[in-house]
Amino acid sequence: MEEAIGLNIEGVRKKIHHGGTGELANFISGSKVTFHFRTLKCDDDRTVIDDSKKVGVPMEIIIGNMFKLEVWEVLLTSMRIGEVAEFWCDVTHTGLYPIVAKSLRRIAEGKDPTDWHIHTCGLANMFAYHSLGYEDLDELQKEPQPLIFVIELLKVESPSMYKRETWALSNDEKLKAVPVLHGEGNRLFKLGRYEDATNKYREAVICLKNIQTKEKPWEVPWMKLEKMINTLVLNYCQCLLRMEEFYEVLEHTTDLIQHHPGLTKAYFLRGKANAEVWNEAEAKKDFEKVVELDPTMSRQVKKEIRKLEMRMEEKEEEEKLKYKNLFP
């Protein structure tokens, strides 16, 4: 392979397979770059790790948007439209590839790439669970190694040429988008459009989680973002209650309580969800905790407990009648 001209970065070599057309594109900050990529190991078999063409969806990144695998920006900005080039990158540039690849694979599988309901940053999750969920990526994570990226540059769009989705915004733009999304979610909730509201709350949470990964966990800036996230997740859970997704409410509120045991509203919503799935003892325990944390909610809690007891009595009567008809 030949040393890449114009890359000006150690540990990278470039070989052009197919020349592109025209001059280098104008890669200004905010430009959206669309490309196909194939990731290979540097072994004798050139083992393929990921291939966007097999997935059928090209990759998109925004220039200047702090993409986790920073070297890709450098590689792309050395290319012309239509060019296919092979880049060898040493381990100093490929250490974060397993984390990036996990997100790309989750997107391809139709899953949320951010795991936003988990209340620790991505790196903390990685160390906590010792796995990214894919064996080959776990191997790369344990033993980082040089990788080969074969890239085909498809197009470059300036910021004015495309509608910028929230994932493509800068951190400042994401922060400004959050209250707008939050307000829109609240408006949709009041209109009874709960599914639409959950989408707004989810989008706002993803914006904040993306910003939060760049902060040190549990320090003041991180905690400010965490507080905002908790509020949005609780709103999301209120929608789920109205949509009768009770077990998902239990999952999210339990996760919140584990990390923030003083969240009164989380106990209240979990109590309501437990009541809906006939977990009487757990529901009462949650409601008791609500009053312990906030005595001003005792009247509201008494109302919920009375409603639960009436439902349990009705259920008991129904079961008595059922068994009476079975054994006349």
Side-chain angles (χ1 to χ4, degrees):
M1 291 185 184
E2 299 172 352
E3 197 72 28
I5 298 171
L7 289 189
N8 196 27
I9 182 170
E10 289 185 23
V12 176
R13 295 199 298 270
K14 176 180 179 181
K15 182 180 181 181
I16 297 175
H17 291 308
H18 177 73
T21 57
E23 299 296 320
L24 284 174
N26 189 13
F27 293 93
I28 62 172
S29 182
S31 295
K32 182 165 76 171
V33 184
T34 305
F35 60 99
H36 274 300
F37 74 95
R38 189 163 71 254
T39 306
L40 313 170
K41 286 187 177 181
C42 297
D43 54 15
D44 292 339
D45 297 326
R46 289 169 60 94
T47 304
V48 177
I49 300 171
D50 292 296
D51 188 339
S52 65
K53 284 192 175 179
K54 284 189 177 178
V55 173
V57 180
M59 178 70 183
E60 295 176 347
I61 68 171
I62 305 299
I63 297 297
N65 210 33
M66 296 181 71
F67 184 65
K68 283 178 182 172
L69 202 64
E70 292 179 11
V71 73
W72 273 11
E73 243 188 58
V74 178
L75 308 183
L76 288 162
T77 53
S78 77
M79 301 178 69
R80 290 174 169 78
I81 304 298
E83 181 179 325
V84 179
E86 180 175 307
F87 298 89
W88 176 91
C89 298
D90 74 17
V91 72
T92 60
H93 301 295
T94 62
L96 285 178
Y97 181 77
I99 298 171
V100 172
K102 175 190 174 182
S103 295
L104 299 180
R105 291 182 188 186
R106 287 182 66 84
I107 291 169
E109 292 164 6
K111 297 176 183 175
D112 184 351
T114 58
D115 285 333
W116 61 266
H117 62 282
I118 304 297
H119 285 255
T120 52
C121 74
L123 289 174
N125 280 336
M126 183 177 76
F127 290 122
Y129 298 105
H130 308 291
S131 175
L132 293 169
Y134 303 92
E135 286 186 19
D136 58 339
L137 298 183
D138 288 340
E139 179 192 333
L140 280 177
Q141 178 181 278
K142 290 173 188 173
E143 298 180 18
Q145 55 191 269
L147 295 172
I148 295 168
F149 301 113
V150 180
I151 296 177
E152 179 185 358
L153 181 58
L154 301 176
K155 62 181 176 179
V156 180
E157 298 170 274
S158 68
S160 61
M161 291 172 65
Y162 66 95
K163 181 180 180 293
R164 300 179 73 189
E165 298 179 37
T166 50
W167 65 266
L169 302 177
S170 68
N171 284 354
D172 286 343
E173 289 169 330
K174 284 174 185 170
L175 275 176
K176 289 175 183 174
V178 166
V180 176
L181 291 166
H182 192 166
E184 185 64 9
N186 291 348
R187 185 184 71 82
L188 292 166
F189 179 85
K190 289 175 183 176
L191 292 173
R193 293 168 56 184
Y194 304 120
E195 189 170 351
D196 292 334
T198 61
N199 291 333
K200 296 297 180 183
Y201 294 139
R202 184 189 294 111
E203 194 173 353
V205 168
I206 290 171
C207 282
L208 292 172
K209 294 300 284 185
N210 286 339
I211 299 168
Q212 196 183 42
T213 58
K214 299 172 181 70
E215 302 291 347
K216 193 168 182 181
W218 304 106
E219 291 196 350
V220 173
W222 189 93
M223 286 301 298
K224 284 181 178 178
L225 293 166
E226 185 76 351
K227 188 175 180 181
M228 294 167 69
I229 289 166
N230 292 343
T231 300
L232 288 159
V233 174
L234 289 169
N235 286 7
Y236 179 84
C237 287
Q238 282 187 296
C239 293
L240 293 178
L241 273 175
R242 298 296 181 92
M243 294 161 66
E244 300 185 356
E245 299 288 350
F246 305 123
Y247 289 102
E248 192 175 346
V249 174
L250 291 174
E251 178 189 347
H252 290 304
T253 52
T254 298
D255 181 63
L256 279 172
I257 288 165
Q258 284 174 350
H259 293 88
H260 305 283
L263 276 177
T264 307
K265 190 173 178 181
Y267 284 102
F268 186 72
L269 294 178
R270 189 171 74 171
K272 286 172 72 74
N274 271 317
E276 292 290 347
V277 295
W278 309 103
N279 293 335
E280 183 180 13
E282 289 86 349
K284 286 185 174 179
K285 194 183 298 183
D286 282 333
F287 289 139
E288 286 167 8
K289 187 66 177 178
V290 170
V291 176
E292 179 188 322
L293 291 169
D294 185 359
T296 64
M297 291 189 68
S298 59
R299 186 174 179 181
Q300 199 172 350
V301 164
K302 283 178 183 176
K303 183 179 176 183
E304 291 296 332
I305 290 175
R306 182 57 191 150
K307 189 162 66 173
L308 170 61
E309 288 173 343
M310 288 175 66
R311 289 185 73 233
M312 297 306 295
E313 287 170 8
E314 288 172 5
K315 185 184 179 188
E316 190 177 342
E317 287 299 319
E318 287 174 6
E319 287 178 349
K320 282 181 182 178
L321 186 60
K322 178 182 175 182
Y323 286 114
K324 184 179 179 181
N325 290 335
L326 282 173
F327 305 103

